Amino acid sequence: MNIFFGMLPSILMIVSPIMITAAGGMVSERSGVTNIALEGLMGIGAFCAAASHVLMEPFVPGSEWIALFIGAFFGMLFSVIHAYASISLNADQTISGTGINLLANGITIFFSQILFSADRTRPYKVGMMPGFMGIYPTAWIAVSIMLIIWFVLYKLPFGLRLRACGEHPDAAASVGINVRALRYFAVLLSGFLAGLAGGCLVLTETIQFTSNTINGTGFIALAAVSFGRWNPLGVSGASLLFGTAVAFAIYVINIPVLSTMFPSEFFNLLPYVITLLALVIFSGKNYAPAEDGKPYISGAS
């Protein structure tokens, strides 16, 4: 138990980017658009947050907070590509998202070379500092975002309309709902949150952006959306489960019994194995929105 409480700040630090990204992915899929690009959008947000923090740190007090929102903004900006391809052009959403992931990987390294003459940003002196009980403020940001999304989706007419776009878009359009506009909003919001999550990750878990900073976190968040049944409470629980597995893989070196029994590579694989097992074991009934991943063509049905 003492080991768990000792790990708690690290667990919450790692869970926060997963939960924030998963919240955005859930909103996007609730509107009917699958966002495979979460990994790449996190990378864009992480690079922009790290780069802007490095450049502002000597001159701007509290630059890490400004950097967070710069990362979120550019995550949203890049999500316009996915929104336009998926919603306006009715392109295959999986291919569009995969393209953004590949683009993000190349463009972040390219601009790192331009700005810092390396394949990574310069290290910054101070990232985001933990607060009360060693818990980072990003944990409170993650919880607040999930609560707001729950309230909007289930307590406001806007949330009902957005969910209708992912379940019965033709019926929604028949009562005057602009399906394409709501889907644009959802995809851009998911980009904003993925970029914010990338900034949260790079400013708490490391001291610079590299090509390995995100390291599959966006895909884990995407799995959390599915495992959590596209429900805020379920997605939060899935994010906590997967984040705990990631934290344990890092923290296990402090547990001599386990670290001597298994090689470190075994624990590095553990979060991804748990993610896959969870999806396989609990993959019975399909809880996904009925029109998730399907282009909306007015009057097609």
Side-chain angles (χ1 to χ4, degrees):
M1 186 61 70
N2 289 334
I3 292 175
F4 175 79
F5 282 113
M7 288 174 59
L8 188 59
S10 297
I11 290 173
L12 294 178
M13 176 186 68
I14 292 169
V15 166
S16 299
I18 297 174
M19 186 181 295
I20 294 170
T21 306
M26 177 182 64
V27 171
S28 181
E29 296 201 19
R30 277 290 190 173
S31 77
V33 180
T34 300
N35 196 346
I36 302 294
L38 295 176
E39 176 86 0
L41 295 173
M42 283 190 75
I44 292 292
F47 166 75
C48 293
S52 57
H53 181 45
V54 166
L55 297 173
M56 290 189 297
E57 188 177 30
F59 315 105
V60 182
S63 60
E64 64 273 15
W65 290 100
I66 301 172
L68 269 186
F69 286 97
I70 291 175
F73 172 77
F74 278 96
M76 182 179 68
L77 192 63
F78 269 79
S79 70
V80 172
I81 302 171
H82 184 52
Y84 181 71
S86 301
I87 302 167
S88 296
L89 302 181
N90 295 326
D92 186 292
Q93 296 171 15
T94 300
I95 294 175
S96 171
T98 302
I100 291 175
N101 288 334
L102 296 173
L103 173 65
N105 189 52
I107 204 167
T108 52
I109 294 176
F110 174 76
F111 278 102
S112 291
Q113 290 283 358
I114 295 294
L115 293 173
F116 305 106
S117 300
D119 63 349
R120 60 194 64 203
T121 66
R122 284 201 310 267
Y124 35 84
K125 296 178 181 178
V126 180
M128 190 162 286
M129 301 301 293
F132 181 67
M133 295 181 62
I135 296 175
Y136 284 86
T138 52
W140 305 116
I141 293 173
V143 172
S144 300
I145 287 171
M146 194 61 81
L147 286 172
I148 291 169
I149 286 176
W150 168 81
F151 182 79
V152 171
L153 284 180
Y154 294 99
K155 298 298 180 181
L156 296 181
F158 178 83
L160 178 61
R161 296 188 191 105
L162 187 142
R163 287 186 286 125
C165 292
E167 296 286 353
H168 306 287
D170 284 322
S174 70
V175 295
I177 296 173
N178 190 330
V179 174
R180 293 183 185 276
L182 280 181
R183 287 188 171 187
Y184 258 96
F185 170 82
V187 174
L188 265 60
L189 178 62
S190 71
F192 181 90
L193 292 178
L196 177 66
C200 289
L201 189 156
V202 79
L203 293 173
T204 57
E205 297 181 30
T206 183
I207 58 168
Q208 64 183 154
F209 173 84
T210 72
S211 59
N212 296 320
T213 293
I214 304 303
N215 198 29
T217 303
F219 294 120
I220 291 176
L222 194 63
V225 175
S226 177
F227 182 52
R229 309 303 195 198
W230 292 267
N231 177 281
L233 181 60
V235 170
S236 299
S239 300
L240 182 61
L241 171 65
F242 298 151
T244 300
V246 174
F248 180 75
I250 297 170
Y251 202 86
V252 74
I253 60 172
N254 296 320
I255 307 175
V257 175
L258 294 177
S259 60
T260 54
M261 288 177 60
F262 302 98
S264 61
E265 291 79 8
F266 172 81
F267 298 103
N268 291 335
L269 284 173
L270 197 58
Y272 308 101
V273 172
I274 290 175
T275 302
L276 289 172
L277 286 176
L279 290 175
V280 170
I281 293 171
F282 294 96
S283 64
K285 184 178 177 182
N286 184 15
Y287 291 84
E291 296 298 308
D292 185 24
K294 300 176 183 178
Y296 170 64
I297 303 173
S298 180
S301 58

